[in-house]
Amino acid sequence: MTASADTISYRAILRLAWPASVAASVTPLLGAVDVWALAQSARPLDIAAVGLGSVIFSLAYWTFGFIRMSVAGLTAQAAGGEDEAEARASLIRGAMIGGAVGLALVALQLPIGYFAFELLSTGSEASAETLSNGRTYFDIRIWGAPFALASYAAFGWLTARGRTDYLMAVSVFMTALNIALDYWFVVGLGWGAAGVAAGTLIAEITGFLVAVLFVLSVMKSHGGIAAHWRPDNFWHPARVKRTLSINFDIFIRTLLLAFCFAWFVQRSGAFGDATLAANQALLQLFLFTGLALDGTAIAAETLVGQALGRKKGGARDRVAAKARYVMAVRKTFILAGAAAVAFVLFYWLAGDPLIALLTPEGPIRAAMKTYMPWVIVSPLMVVIGFQLDGIFIGATRATEMRDSMIVSAFIFIPASLWFAGQWGNHGLWAAFSIYFLLRAATLMVWLPRIEKSFAN
């Protein structure tokens, strides 16, 4: 699928979307497998420990998710304008930022771990053993940070080049390896939370190496691995300034997003270990839904970015580019909405079997059944916001994404406290759902700005 095509068919969008959906959804699927493996072991309450430890990485990695997003948007626009040298420069900038941030996290792991667990334990009823095992999980997994964050640049670049099939291959490989290691370390060796962390660490390092191989394959088919390298472009002042500006705005946006998820998990601890473990398990299904729906959003990133890259020509190019943009937005939204309805039906019909698969009979399973309705309706809560994210990323409209998140987060935090105080864990889930609707509403207000930009 290229930017020069006259029309965008549903089939072409699906060719981009379904591999991206698989790639996005396997990450929370791995979290569900972590829950399953620990539930089958002699240490099922380590589910709560992994929930506490993993929320730190969610906060850190989602905070730096701007690396993937900025590389995807900038590369798609460069590819749309047939500027291969800039497409490769965008990858190098992103990979260097990701690797440097990852190394900084490793170097600062002691103060980060100390302050993170101090915050997570504040106001929580989680046991001392759960907190200790969560810290063990953190201490092992942190060593994968440079590889995980550098991989973000590769993932964004592959997406922008329309090779979501390669993105899917890397993600499925990492997940399959991690599942195998989970079973070996957790069920077989009884390592508990430490086993989950060790498996994730190995998978992150190996996945980075596989992603590099796929990036080189794409370069080989676009002029050769050694071609189009212009080192002076890497640090071109205007382009570096634009990259940093986009990255900073998406950094703020993603930091607030990750903080809201972390806040949700931390507030879950106020209801005890069983509810915390249940919310952690349900959150994996919630994320699976949203990220599976993200396939059409990732397709929108590529198509919108390529359309904007085309508008750099004359008036006729701008008209054609605008038509492609409108077509991409409309058709990806239609496919996303259909997928959301399908997921609602799936969770409605398969909710109880999924809960039984993830957890043994007992208080955790009982709590999951109580709060499962929130997961059933979650596709309708997240689909519009996820789709708008893809459009704004492709357009590199980072300022609007930042402002949307600021408004939504600052309403969500006090709402969660009040709702939870009134209705307990149901209130916490209600506030979390409203938060996603607020994200969609605020982005929708600013959406017309992108279409107007084609006149410039």
Side-chain angles (χ1 to χ4, degrees):
M1 174 121 197
T2 66
S4 59
D6 292 328
T7 61
I8 301 172
S9 68
Y10 286 110
R11 179 177 293 182
I13 294 172
L14 287 172
R15 280 201 299 268
L16 289 172
W18 80 261
S21 291
V22 174
S25 61
V26 293
T27 300
L29 176 62
L30 178 59
V33 171
D34 290 343
V35 170
W36 174 85
L38 289 166
Q40 309 309 310
S41 74
R43 302 168 62 172
L45 284 180
D46 269 13
I47 295 172
V50 170
L52 288 174
S54 63
V55 77
I56 300 171
F57 291 96
S58 295
L59 180 61
Y61 290 177
W62 287 359
T63 297
F64 298 107
F66 66 79
I67 298 167
R68 187 204 70 79
M69 298 176 195
S70 64
V71 170
L74 292 169
T75 301
Q77 290 179 24
E82 299 182 351
D83 188 349
E84 181 67 23
E86 178 57 22
R88 298 191 181 192
S90 296
L91 170 66
I92 295 301
R93 294 185 201 113
M96 292 185 71
I97 292 171
V101 169
L103 289 172
L105 292 176
V106 170
L108 297 171
Q109 62 180 286
L110 292 179
I112 291 173
Y114 173 79
F115 286 111
F117 278 91
E118 283 294 310
L119 288 172
L120 287 171
S121 62
T122 301
S124 175
E125 295 297 324
S127 65
E129 182 180 5
T130 291
L131 291 168
S132 176
N133 290 334
R135 180 58 192 266
T136 299
Y137 173 92
F138 169 85
D139 290 341
I140 295 171
R141 190 178 167 187
I142 189 65
W143 292 95
F147 302 94
L149 294 178
S151 295
Y152 282 6
F155 293 163
W157 198 80
L158 290 171
T159 296
R161 306 313 298 261
R163 296 314 305 256
T164 53
D165 54 338
Y166 285 172
L167 178 67
M168 177 183 68
V170 176
S171 299
V172 170
F173 170 78
M174 289 176 63
T175 301
L177 176 61
N178 209 336
I179 289 171
L181 294 173
D182 259 6
Y183 188 82
W184 182 20
F185 293 156
V186 179
V187 179
L189 300 179
W191 289 0
V196 171
T200 303
L201 170 63
I202 295 170
E204 285 174 342
I205 295 172
T206 309
F208 167 76
L209 299 175
V210 174
V212 169
L213 293 177
F214 281 130
V215 165
L216 294 176
S217 175
V218 173
M219 289 181 177
K220 185 177 180 180
S221 65
H222 285 80
I225 295 173
H228 302 294
W229 293 109
R230 298 177 187 170
D232 55 315
N233 272 12
F234 296 169
W235 311 118
H236 187 282
R239 291 174 177 175
V240 169
K241 181 179 179 180
R242 185 186 180 207
T243 299
L244 292 176
S245 175
I246 292 169
N247 281 334
F248 181 74
D249 284 340
I250 301 180
F251 166 77
I252 298 300
R253 171 260 183 197
T254 314
L255 175 64
L256 288 170
L257 174 63
F259 176 78
C260 288
F261 273 88
W263 176 264
F264 175 83
V265 174
Q266 199 277 342
R267 287 292 83 207
S268 298
F271 304 110
D273 282 351
T275 300
L276 172 59
N279 276 6
Q280 170 64 13
L282 290 172
L283 190 60
Q284 302 310 313
L285 297 177
F286 188 93
L287 289 171
F288 174 77
T289 305
L291 295 180
L293 293 172
D294 205 28
T296 50
I298 289 174
E301 290 178 19
T302 302
L303 297 171
V304 168
Q306 289 177 355
L308 282 162
R310 284 189 65 182
K311 77 170 188 172
K312 296 178 181 178
R316 291 183 63 184
D317 286 333
R318 289 196 295 273
V319 171
K322 180 178 177 180
R324 281 184 60 82
Y325 164 78
V326 172
M327 193 182 306
V329 171
R330 184 179 71 250
K331 291 189 174 182
T332 55
F333 255 116
I334 290 171
L335 289 175
V341 172
F343 268 99
V344 170
L345 294 174
F346 171 71
Y347 281 128
W348 180 45
L349 296 173
D352 286 347
L354 283 172
I355 292 172
L357 177 66
L358 288 173
T359 57
E361 191 68 49
I364 298 175
R365 181 185 292 186
M368 286 184 69
K369 288 183 177 180
T370 300
Y371 304 112
M372 184 66 186
W374 293 106
V375 174
I376 294 174
V377 300
S378 66
L380 303 178
M381 302 292 182
V382 304
V383 63
I384 298 176
F386 271 66
Q387 195 61 28
L388 288 168
D389 276 347
I391 294 167
F392 277 77
I393 289 167
T396 58
R397 304 294 294 221
T399 301
E400 289 89 343
M401 295 176 70
R402 178 201 65 196
D403 292 346
S404 168
M405 191 60 66
I406 290 172
V407 172
S408 303
F410 275 84
I411 293 174
F412 166 62
I413 300 302
S416 66
L417 291 172
W418 190 80
F419 282 24
Q422 295 293 315
W423 301 291
N425 197 44
H426 277 299
L428 182 61
W429 275 102
F432 199 48
S433 300
I434 291 171
Y435 159 71
F436 282 95
L437 294 175
L438 285 170
R439 286 183 56 212
T442 49
L443 286 175
M444 191 64 76
V445 170
W446 291 310
L447 183 62
R449 293 182 182 179
I450 300 176
E451 187 172 343
K452 289 179 182 177
S453 72
F454 284 89
N456 300 325

